Amino acid sequence: MKKLIIPFMALLLVQCQDFQPNVSSNSELSTVNKQLLSELKVRDSVISAMANTFATIESNLNSIKQQESIITINAKGIEGANNEESINNDINLIYKMMLDNRNRVENLQQLLNRANIKNADLQKSIDQLVAKIEAKDAEIASLRQRLEEMNINVCLLDSALNQELGRRIENEATIARQDADLHTGYYIIGSERELKDVGVLDKRGKFALGSRRAVNEFNHDVFTIIDIRKTLTFPLSTKKANVVTAHSTSAYKIYGDKLVDSLVVTNYEEFWRASKYLVIVVQ
């Protein structure tokens, strides 16, 4: 028995000497843990900022609601310039709070983007907050219109505030135009003869819009203008339909058995990527 103990102990010692902790693996785990902790801190910071922003904006909206009530009461019993000045002070206070709301939402969105957090629930919460602010904007615009109908001179007393509002209105109008342009599409459905007659197809039956000269001479009026996000189905009811313009075949489906019933866009972004014009030749 003693002879067996010595070799066993020697083997155990050798195994212990051969065991070395995987330093590289531990280092990698440490790096991953640090990265996860950092991401959690950023996420917690964003959520905390969101909570504070939401609370402040809700408080502002409640204050604005109170100011609106005060203005309405004052407007009904308006007498002289002093009361009109008081109404204008209240209106200016409302506009300042609304600007503060918009600035806070913008800062929050920038924070979310910088943190590179892709979270549908967080984004949905911000979108809902923006919708609340836009709804309040509409209420304030309606209140201002009612005051003007009562011959109450509404003016922004703070020139800086006036300029800021003007700048924002102009920017929002520009963004709205750009959004509309980005999501505007044109479509036309007709026989090959009809489409040639109106200049949509050339003599070979190809889409005529191509050269610079064709752009200048092209008749856009024959097309129906649509919002590509909303118009996804194009009724056809024809024997045969051929899409002449460049569109990904994986982004739409044509339905129908004996007759071609309709063309349905399944992915509007992919469908309209190559061309904002849709030309369908039917028979």
Side-chain angles (χ1 to χ4, degrees):
M1 291 293 294
K2 289 181 180 179
K3 290 181 180 179
L4 288 173
I5 292 173
I6 295 171
F8 175 76
M9 292 297 294
L11 178 62
L12 184 61
L13 286 171
V14 170
Q15 287 178 336
C16 289
Q17 288 172 355
D18 288 344
F19 174 74
Q20 294 292 335
N22 192 332
V23 177
S24 175
S25 178
N26 288 342
S27 176
E28 288 175 4
L29 284 173
S30 177
T31 302
V32 169
N33 286 338
K34 286 179 181 178
Q35 184 177 350
L36 289 173
L37 285 172
S38 176
E39 289 175 359
L40 285 172
K41 284 181 180 179
V42 171
R43 183 183 176 86
D44 289 345
S45 174
V46 170
I47 292 173
S48 176
M50 285 188 72
N52 292 334
T53 300
F54 279 33
T56 302
I57 290 177
E58 287 292 347
S59 176
N60 278 351
L61 291 174
N62 288 333
S63 297
I64 289 169
K65 189 174 182 179
Q66 293 172 4
Q67 291 299 128
E68 286 178 295
S69 299
I70 292 169
I71 290 171
T72 302
I73 293 168
N74 287 342
K76 288 179 180 178
I78 187 165
E79 290 181 5
N82 289 337
N83 211 8
E84 187 171 292
E85 183 180 346
S86 174
I87 288 173
N88 271 286
N89 285 329
D90 290 336
I91 284 283
N92 274 261
L93 180 60
I94 285 175
Y95 275 120
K96 283 181 179 178
M97 284 191 284
M98 288 303 292
L99 276 178
D100 181 62
N101 288 343
R102 288 190 173 280
N103 287 332
R104 288 179 183 276
V105 170
E106 286 178 7
N107 291 337
L108 190 60
Q109 186 68 68
Q110 289 172 6
L111 178 63
L112 196 65
N113 293 340
R114 285 198 303 271
N116 198 27
I117 297 175
K118 305 296 182 185
N119 187 295
D121 290 334
L122 293 181
Q123 187 59 58
K124 184 179 178 181
S125 297
I126 293 177
D127 292 341
Q128 289 173 344
L129 199 57
V130 170
K132 270 190 176 183
I133 292 172
E134 290 175 349
K136 182 56 69 176
D137 273 339
E139 286 180 21
I140 294 167
S142 177
L143 173 62
R144 182 167 181 169
Q145 184 177 354
R146 291 200 305 272
L147 292 172
E148 290 174 350
E149 287 171 356
M150 296 168 67
N151 295 321
I152 298 172
N153 184 29
V154 180
C155 62
L156 295 178
L157 306 176
D158 189 332
S159 60
L161 176 62
N162 203 345
Q163 290 175 3
E164 177 67 10
L165 278 172
R167 183 184 67 80
R168 282 182 175 271
I169 290 170
E170 185 178 343
N171 286 345
E172 286 171 6
T174 300
I175 291 170
R177 285 196 302 271
Q178 290 173 343
D179 182 70
D181 291 342
L182 184 64
H183 296 103
T184 296
Y186 307 84
Y187 84 92
I188 187 170
I189 302 169
S191 67
E192 185 172 336
R193 172 49 56 194
E194 290 170 337
L195 296 177
K196 283 182 178 179
D197 287 344
V198 294
V200 172
L201 299 182
D202 61 20
K203 293 178 181 179
R204 299 172 299 166
K206 304 294 183 182
F207 185 39
L209 184 59
S211 66
R212 187 173 299 178
R213 182 180 177 184
V215 172
N216 297 331
E217 298 175 354
F218 196 66
N219 184 10
H220 293 82
D221 296 336
V222 297
F223 284 84
T224 300
I225 301 174
I226 59 169
D227 184 327
I228 62 175
R229 296 166 296 185
K230 298 176 181 178
T231 303
L232 301 175
T233 300
F234 300 88
L236 298 174
S237 188
T238 183
K239 291 181 179 180
K240 186 178 179 182
N242 180 33
V243 178
V244 176
T245 39
H247 302 281
S248 173
T249 54
S250 63
Y252 70 92
K253 290 183 179 179
I254 292 179
Y255 292 93
D257 187 11
K258 293 181 179 179
L259 288 177
V260 178
D261 180 59
S262 62
L263 181 148
V264 178
V265 176
T266 55
N267 183 334
Y268 79 87
E269 290 179 331
E270 183 64 27
F271 183 82
W272 295 99
R273 193 183 303 280
S275 174
K276 286 298 176 71
Y277 293 87
L278 170 61
V279 178
I280 304 176
V281 177
V282 294
Q283 291 182 5

